[in-house]
Amino acid sequence: MAGAVGRVVRRCYPNALRSWLLKLPGATEGPCNTPKPGVFDLINKAKWDAWNALGSLPKETARQNYVDLVSGLSSSSDSSSQVKPEADRKQSGYETLVVTSEDGITKIMMNRPAKKNAMTMRMYEEIMLALKAASKDDSAITVLTGNGDYYSSGNDLTNFTDIPSGGVEEKAKNSAILLRDFVDCFIDFPKPLIAVVNGPAVGISVTILGLFEVVYASDRATFHTPFSHLGQSPEGCSSYTFPKIMGPAKAAEMLIFGKKLTAAEACAQGLVTEVFPDSTFQKEVWTRLKAYSKLPPNAMRISKQMIRNREKEKLHAVNAEESSTLQERWLSDECMNAIMNFLTRKAKL
Ligand SMILES: CCCCC/C=C/CC(=O)SCCNC(=O)CCNC(=O)[C@H](O)C(C)(C)COP(=O)(O)OP(=O)(O)OC[C@H]1O[C@@H](n2cnc3c(N)ncnc32)[C@H](O)[C@@H]1OP(=O)(O)O
């Protein structure tokens, strides 16, 4: 059985994360039976936590669960995390989005409702493509929204299981580049950008809201940035925009302590423009947006530029700093442990 574990781990994790996983003793030695290492013994403590999280399962069950886990990760990362060739895309041209353009409005809808619209590498790429296309089309305004009960659960945590041959360091570097490019697209987007937040929003789907002109939310929506819980740090320029929008203390509650806000609280703090009852949310919001989209588009663009342009350079610098800080955080034991806990179903938000 230990050989089977090794084979699956070798197949799914061809590098440093694999060797980290292979050192977890739960799959080979049964229930956790050693004292907890001290708080400063970070690597051994991380391994101990992961082993202990398996509880008192018999050795065989722990091993089987472990095989199931990594096998499942393999198939889910195959289907959701990798960018497939252009030819595989659906008729609409997008695999993770539904993009429509009518009545002067380009609507970009995140479309992985069964995964709470978690953002895969492919989804980041496709949102960038859709924004670039929207910046040049003849629509007056652009909307980002989600399909299903969630707006988005943020970064897809299985993104971190698809490790290239250069190991976790290369993965972290590539992810930081993608993150920086992704957020740059929002900073530079020339037309009014509106978020239609149809349900709970987590992580990066919340932080980038500071770069939108208007944020409309259903009263079912919540706003949650659990970065410390995940061993991570803020992105989407939120370390700069949130203190400006809501003041440093409220920003700290969200970005450091992971306080989840209701839609009403987010509105009171200036992150959300207006909250609507869920029962009438879509009707009221789209009626309003259709009226806005009939305003002269050039005037709207110029007004947006006047509001945003003097901040642009600062925002790009903040984005670069946040991305490189995250590149380091993703390699930390705190972050790897948090992701493993989610993937082993030991932790949810
Ligand atoms: C280029 C890289 C850039 C990186 C930028 C960094 C950004 C930082 C962030 O965004 S931090 C936020 C990360 N997000 C999370 O930690 C959320 C994790 N998800 C959860 O805690 C829960 O799923 C939930 C609270 C969002 C919803 O719980 P609920 O019980 O209602 O639903 P399920 O958990 O059963 O979810 C249904 C299926 O969706 C999968 N899923 C949901 N969110 C994610 C996610 N973020 N990553 C990966 N998978 C996600 C979940 O696993 C279920 O899948 P299953 O049906 O196959 O079991």
Side-chain angles (χ1 to χ4, degrees):
M1 182 62 81
V5 172
R7 271 195 302 282
V8 176
V9 172
R10 265 182 283 280
R11 178 163 52 82
C12 301
Y13 301 94
N15 45 42
L17 179 58
R18 179 186 70 193
S19 53
W20 187 83
L21 286 168
L22 279 168
K23 284 176 196 147
L24 291 179
T28 53
E29 293 170 30
C32 184
N33 57 13
T34 62
K36 186 172 185 168
V39 278
F40 296 112
D41 185 1
L42 291 177
I43 290 177
N44 284 323
K45 185 173 170 302
K47 286 182 200 158
W48 188 93
D49 285 343
W51 186 12
N52 188 50
L54 294 171
S56 57
L57 291 175
K59 189 163 63 176
E60 290 68 27
T61 315
R63 281 182 193 163
Q64 190 53 53
N65 287 353
Y66 191 56
V67 172
D68 292 346
L69 163 69
V70 290
S71 305
L73 289 180
S74 170
S75 57
S76 88
S77 74
D78 285 345
S79 64
S80 66
S81 300
Q82 292 167 359
V83 178
K84 290 180 191 148
E86 195 87 8
D88 284 355
R89 290 186 178 168
K90 284 183 192 156
Q91 207 179 354
S92 70
Y94 297 98
E95 185 181 272
T96 64
L97 308 175
V98 174
V99 182
T100 50
S101 210
E102 56 182 329
D103 296 324
I105 305 173
T106 292
K107 177 168 97 169
I108 302 171
M109 185 166 69
M110 296 174 276
N111 190 33
R112 298 183 72 222
K115 298 286 182 184
K116 312 290 182 195
N117 296 322
M119 297 164 89
T120 57
M121 295 304 196
R122 178 155 195 145
M123 192 189 283
Y124 291 114
E125 299 277 6
E126 290 191 343
I127 290 174
M128 289 194 285
L129 284 175
L131 285 175
K132 277 178 189 140
S135 71
K136 294 189 201 110
D137 70 15
D138 57 5
S139 62
I141 61 177
T142 301
V143 172
L144 184 65
T145 190
N147 186 17
D149 61 339
Y150 260 64
Y151 177 67
S152 169
S153 62
N155 187 45
D156 189 306
L157 295 175
T158 68
N159 284 339
F160 294 113
T161 63
D162 171 26
I163 309 292
S165 57
V168 281
E169 286 79 9
E170 187 185 327
K171 179 73 189 180
K173 188 171 163 220
N174 293 343
S175 301
I177 292 169
L178 180 59
L179 172 63
R180 187 173 166 180
D181 290 348
F182 177 75
V183 175
D184 275 347
C185 279
F186 285 87
I187 297 171
D188 291 329
F189 192 72
K191 300 178 182 178
L193 196 52
I194 290 109
V196 172
V197 185
N198 52 296
V202 184
I204 189 164
S205 73
V206 177
T207 56
I208 53 170
L209 293 176
L211 302 171
F212 284 63
E213 274 53 65
V214 165
V215 179
Y216 293 138
S218 150
D219 60 6
R220 241 179 15 84
T222 52
F223 299 82
H224 194 190
T225 51
F227 299 129
S228 300
H229 300 72
L230 293 167
Q232 298 185 35
S233 52
E235 21 57 8
C237 294
S238 59
S239 63
Y240 178 71
T241 56
F242 279 27
K244 276 192 78 171
I245 291 169
M246 59 185 78
K250 293 291 185 188
E253 269 202 305
M254 279 193 85
L255 297 175
I256 302 177
F257 301 119
K259 183 181 179 195
K260 190 197 286 187
L261 302 189
T262 62
E265 287 167 337
C267 192
Q269 287 171 24
L271 183 63
V272 164
T273 314
E274 193 169 334
V275 182
F276 299 80
D278 192 58
S279 54
T280 55
F281 178 61
Q282 298 290 346
K283 189 165 179 286
E284 288 195 62
V285 163
W286 290 105
T287 302
R288 187 172 311 180
L289 291 177
K290 277 178 193 162
Y292 288 168
S293 70
K294 293 189 174 53
L295 294 168
N298 291 336
M300 290 198 285
R301 259 178 192 253
I302 286 166
S303 298
K304 168 167 177 165
Q305 275 170 26
M306 291 187 74
I307 295 168
R308 294 278 178 185
N309 268 7
R310 61 183 74 85
E311 288 275 66
K312 256 190 182 181
E313 211 178 308
K314 176 74 182 171
L315 290 170
H316 283 299
V318 170
N319 182 27
E321 189 193 343
E322 288 178 347
S323 300
S324 74
T325 304
L326 261 174
Q327 183 177 337
E328 286 168 29
R329 291 309 309 159
W330 288 326
L331 298 172
S332 69
D333 291 320
E334 287 180 345
C335 179
M336 281 201 189
N337 264 343
I339 291 167
M340 283 302 294
N341 283 339
F342 175 75
L343 297 175
T344 53
R345 304 293 185 255
K346 296 291 175 199
K348 270 191 197 181
L349 297 176

